[in-house]
Amino acid sequence: MTLAYIPSPGISSFHLGPVTIRFYALTMLLAIIVAAWITARRWKKEGGRTDQILDIAICAVPAGIVGARLYHVITTPERYFGADGNPADILRIWRGGLGIWGAVLLGALAAWAWCRHKSYPTALLADSVAPALLVAQAIGRLGNWFNQELYGAPTTLPWGLKIDAAGSAIGSSEQCYDGATCPTGTLFQPTFLYEMIWNLIGAALLVWIGHKAVNVLKAGSLFALYVMWYTLGRTWIEALRIDFAHEFLGVRVNVWVSMTVFFLAAAAFVLIARKGKPTSLLSEKLRTITELEVRQESKARSK
């Protein structure tokens, strides 16, 4: 008899009149808001303004969402173009399916383009957003809990996840992902919770390291550490999951991607330490740019 477990929500959405509100979308929205708030606070300490972050977010967030969806579609094309696939499902992101690597890649490119246009120090922005991304990713994993998806292998641990078979979420119909292996009442590894905890610990560590080593680390170092921390955790958490995924040499593709990105980030960390610019120097540059923007806005209002 199971005495302790983590329950799954019985619903994944609710209705406001004709409009369907999905908890997955709400968690994504909350993650974006919290990430922008944290980034803005850190950016202001470096000499910037909140509206600068909002402008960057307007470019980076849509690009990140598109990138996340594209990564998912490219890595699991059979869900949309296979014999049982439906290309229209590409637009139904509320059903899950957002790849973090696509989000970081296109989101970062959009942010870099805007920073280059406005002459903002990109490395300084990267360090400001690093812990915010981990917090946002932690919040976003709640969406998987509401969807009852992407859980791990069966377990007898007292914090195992119990799937609500009577619910309407994804997991209620994909239990064990083969429909036969696991009997009703089986508990699963709550990989969403593991990643939430891992990401929140990482965010706290990045803030602490940034505070203690502010005069040692070069600008951009914290973002490299963010990538290293996240990929290190994603490697072992991904290995616990039992949802369908393409494999290479018997290992899930996302595990290979995580390991590859980890080593690239480690190399980037070393390169930044050798050739990067001091954070204090870029902070001074940002303060100068911000002051010029304020003056220009004041002149425009006085005309």
Side-chain angles (χ1 to χ4, degrees):
M1 180 179 179
T2 303
L3 299 178
Y5 58 85
I6 298 174
S8 289
I11 61 172
S12 59
S13 63
F14 61 93
H15 298 277
L16 288 178
V19 180
T20 301
I21 307 297
R22 302 182 187 277
F23 289 109
Y24 185 87
L26 291 178
T27 58
M28 296 300 109
L29 180 60
L30 178 61
I32 292 170
I33 292 172
V34 172
W37 177 73
I38 294 174
T39 304
R41 285 178 60 88
R42 293 172 57 80
W43 183 251
K44 287 173 68 177
K45 291 180 179 179
E46 301 297 343
R49 296 192 301 172
T50 299
D51 60 336
Q52 293 169 337
I53 293 300
L54 294 178
D55 288 342
I56 294 171
I58 290 173
C59 299
V61 170
I65 293 174
V66 171
R69 192 58 172 174
L70 284 176
Y71 180 88
H72 173 73
V73 173
I74 291 171
T75 54
T76 55
E78 66 283 344
R79 295 187 179 183
Y80 309 97
F81 304 105
D84 299 322
N86 181 4
D89 286 342
I90 294 175
L91 301 177
R92 299 185 176 101
I93 62 173
W94 57 84
R95 294 182 178 178
L98 296 175
I100 183 61
W101 307 122
V104 172
L105 178 59
L106 284 195
L109 285 175
W112 170 82
W114 185 258
C115 286
R116 184 175 178 83
H117 170 65
K118 302 292 288 187
S119 299
Y120 300 150
T122 306
L124 207 59
L125 174 66
D127 283 348
S128 296
V129 79
L133 286 176
L134 283 172
V135 174
Q137 288 168 246
I139 295 173
R141 282 306 177 192
L142 285 173
N144 298 135
W145 180 55
F146 278 107
N147 272 1
Q148 299 187 56
E149 62 180 348
L150 309 186
Y151 41 80
T155 182
T156 57
L157 293 171
W159 56 82
L161 177 68
K162 186 175 182 180
I163 301 302
D164 186 347
S168 60
I170 293 173
S172 62
S173 61
E174 292 188 355
Q175 187 164 317
C176 255
Y177 289 89
D178 62 11
T181 304
C182 300
T184 301
T186 299
L187 303 184
F188 302 90
Q189 293 278 8
T191 50
F192 80 92
L193 180 62
Y194 297 160
E195 189 166 328
M196 283 183 66
I197 295 172
W198 180 266
N199 288 345
L200 292 175
I201 291 173
L205 282 174
L206 286 183
V207 172
W208 181 78
I209 291 172
H211 177 71
K212 293 294 183 178
V214 64
N215 296 320
V216 178
L217 294 178
K218 300 290 182 63
S221 297
L222 285 182
F223 189 82
L225 289 175
Y226 148 71
V227 176
M228 292 168 65
W229 178 266
Y230 178 73
T231 51
L232 184 63
R234 185 63 184 268
T235 298
W236 66 267
I237 294 171
E238 184 75 23
L240 293 175
R241 285 167 44 172
I242 59 174
D243 55 299
F244 170 79
H246 291 288
E247 296 183 352
F248 178 69
L249 298 178
V251 179
R252 294 165 71 98
V253 169
N254 277 335
V255 173
W256 287 111
V257 173
S258 294
M259 291 190 294
T260 301
V261 175
F262 174 87
F263 287 114
L264 290 175
F269 182 81
V270 174
L271 184 62
I272 291 170
R274 292 179 177 177
K275 298 186 177 181
K277 296 181 179 180
T279 298
S280 58
L281 179 64
L282 295 185
S283 293
E284 185 60 35
K285 177 183 178 181
L286 178 59
R287 290 190 182 92
T288 301
I289 293 172
T290 300
E291 290 174 1
L292 289 174
E293 288 184 351
V294 171
R295 292 175 185 174
Q296 291 172 356
E297 290 174 4
S298 297
K299 290 181 179 178
R301 286 195 297 268
S302 63
K303 290 182 179 180

